[in-house]
């Protein structure tokens, strides 16, 4: 299907004294409104990012298949909607039904951990059945009222979180831009799950060129909409064999690294730590399996190079928010540092 090409706007210029006035808080005509940081809800990450992600930024979240990229992205989206942002989550991999079930799992997990209970009436398993269409919420046992409380929590932000069943055939950046116009506000976050399936404005072509165009389009969407854009990025086949995934293991890495403002990589801690730690204390090393390492590989807004760790709570589709900095040496991923 042919795409309608909109006229290219004429370039404009702003005098330096006007820009300085906007920095001092004197907003002029056409200035983008000041937007507070977008909190992720993961305490050490927000602290390292000096409050969270910024509007007009393109954030890439990378990792191997199954490491938990969608789980982390949905957890970030939830935190941002809770904080008052309008969030558009376009998913090319999962249905809105599944994402809603995962959000419910997060809410139940938060309530259960706060009360000191675990595996309450096997609610996660029942919610998984709901996501698959094998059951409804009425079939989920809830003698303790935790599911009801979780639904009440979700309703506080459900009107600000839009779940988009995306398709590489019909959902491109132009469609995302229209969704932002329709459902966004002066504080909007857009999630793309995942980047390699998005349709750039220039169409298909060679994979590297396709990805470069898609990344450029998403960065343009962030700038022109004054929005935060978070995109999940897939790894190359060669990267799947690495013990620790780094940005250069992403597909079309050079194009993505150029456009992205922030790059965060997820790795299993047991794979990412240097082998010396596994050999030195094998009992403690077993606990590494319970953690994900979240590395800030690039950050135009502040420090990069921070390696954070978070305990997995996959039964409730989330990471525990407390987290901390990794104390152990990590595999470099560029040379054999094991």
């Amino acid at each position: 299907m042919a795409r309608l090409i909109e006229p290219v706007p004429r370039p404009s210029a702003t005098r330096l004294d006007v820009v300085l006035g906007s920095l001092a808080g004197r907003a002029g005509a056409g200035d983008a409104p000041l937007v507070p940081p977008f909190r992720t809800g993961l305490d050490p990450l927000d602290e390292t990012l000096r409050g969270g992600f910024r509007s007009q930024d393109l954030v890439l979240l990378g990792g191997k298949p199954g490491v938990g990229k969608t789980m982390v992205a949905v957890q970030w989206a939830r935190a941002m909607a809770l904080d008052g942002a309008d969030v558009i989550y376009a998913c090319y991999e999962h249905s809105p039904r599944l994402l809603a079930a995962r959000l419910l799992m997060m809410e139940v997990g938060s309530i259960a951990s706060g009360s000191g209970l675990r595996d309450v009436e096997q609610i996660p398993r029942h919610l998984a059945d709901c996501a698959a269409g094998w059951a409804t919420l009425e079939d989920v046992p809830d003698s303790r009222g935790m599911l009801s409380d979780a639904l009440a929590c979700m309703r506080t932000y459900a009107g600000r979180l839009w779940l988009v069943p995306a398709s590489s055939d019909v959902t491109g950046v132009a469609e995302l831009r229209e969704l932002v116009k329709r459902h966004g506000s002066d504080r909007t976050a857009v999630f793309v799950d995942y980047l390699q399936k998005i349709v750039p404005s220039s169409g298909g072509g060679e994979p590297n060129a396709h990805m470069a165009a898609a990344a450029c389009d998403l960065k343009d969407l962030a700038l022109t909409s004054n929005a935060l854009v978070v995109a999940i990025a897939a790894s190359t086949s060669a990267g799947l064999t690495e013990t620790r995934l780094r940005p250069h293991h992403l597909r079309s890495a050079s194009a993505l690294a150029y456009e992205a403002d922030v790059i965060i990589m997820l790795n299993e801690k047991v794979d990412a730590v240097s082998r010396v730690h596994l050999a030195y204390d094998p009992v403690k090393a077993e606990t590494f399996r319970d953690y994900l390492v979240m590395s800030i590989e690039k950050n135009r807004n502040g420090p990069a190079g921070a390696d954070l760790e978070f305990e997995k709570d996959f039964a409730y589709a989330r990471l525990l928010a407390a987290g901390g900095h990794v104390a152990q040496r990590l595999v470099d991923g560029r040379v054999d540092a094991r």
Side-chain angles (χ1 to χ4, degrees), residues 7 49 68 72 74 79 93 98 109 159-160 163 167 180 184-185 190 195 202 213 236 244 263 271 289 291 299 308:
L49 295 171
V72 169
V74 171
E93 292 285 284
L98 174 64
R160 294 188 297 274
L163 303 177
S167 165
V180 171
S185 63
V190 180
L195 178 60
S202 57
T236 62
R244 180 188 177 194
I263 300 178
D271 296 329
R289 300 184 183 278
Y291 288 83
N299 182 12
L308 310 174

Side-chain angles (χ1 to χ4, degrees), residues 39-48 310 321-323:
R39 292 182 53 81
T40 68
L42 300 177
D43 299 337
L45 179 59
D46 288 331
E47 291 170 7
T48 305
F310 296 91

Side-chain angles (χ1 to χ4, degrees), residues 62-194:
K64 295 181 181 179
V67 74
K69 298 185 297 297
T70 294
M71 178 192 71
V72 169
V74 171
Q75 190 167 358
W76 289 353
R78 169 191 175 272
M80 293 171 193
L82 265 172
D83 200 35
D86 286 292
V87 180
I88 298 168
Y89 197 104
C91 189
Y92 294 77
E93 292 285 284
H94 308 292
S95 69
R97 189 184 183 104
L98 174 64
L99 298 178
R102 289 191 176 184
L103 285 163
L104 258 178
M105 290 180 193
M106 290 181 192
E107 300 299 346
V108 173
S110 178
I111 296 169
S113 61
S115 61
L117 299 173
R118 294 296 301 167
D119 197 23
V120 183
E121 298 176 307
Q122 295 186 324
I123 286 180
R125 179 177 65 80
H126 290 289
L127 287 177
D129 290 344
C130 291
W134 301 337
T136 68
L137 291 179
E138 294 180 354
D139 301 316
V140 181
D142 190 29
S143 63
R144 296 179 183 269
M146 288 194 173
L147 182 62
S148 299
D149 290 344
L151 284 167
C153 290
M154 282 187 67
R155 291 190 185 102
T156 63
Y157 61 85
R160 294 188 297 274
L161 179 50
W162 304 84
L163 303 177
V164 181
S167 165
S168 56
D169 293 330
V170 297
T171 314
V173 177
E175 288 72 25
L176 292 178
R177 190 182 300 277
E178 183 59 33
L179 287 168
V180 171
K181 290 179 181 178
R182 194 182 313 162
H183 304 302
S185 63
D186 58 356
R187 191 161 182 251
T188 304
V190 180
F191 285 78
V192 178
D193 186 2
Y194 60 100

Side-chain angles (χ1 to χ4, degrees), residues 217-236:
D217 285 350
L218 287 178
K219 176 59 182 175
D220 183 65
L221 172 65
L223 287 172
T224 57
S225 302
N226 198 39
L228 165 70
V229 176
V230 179
I232 292 177
S235 67
T236 62

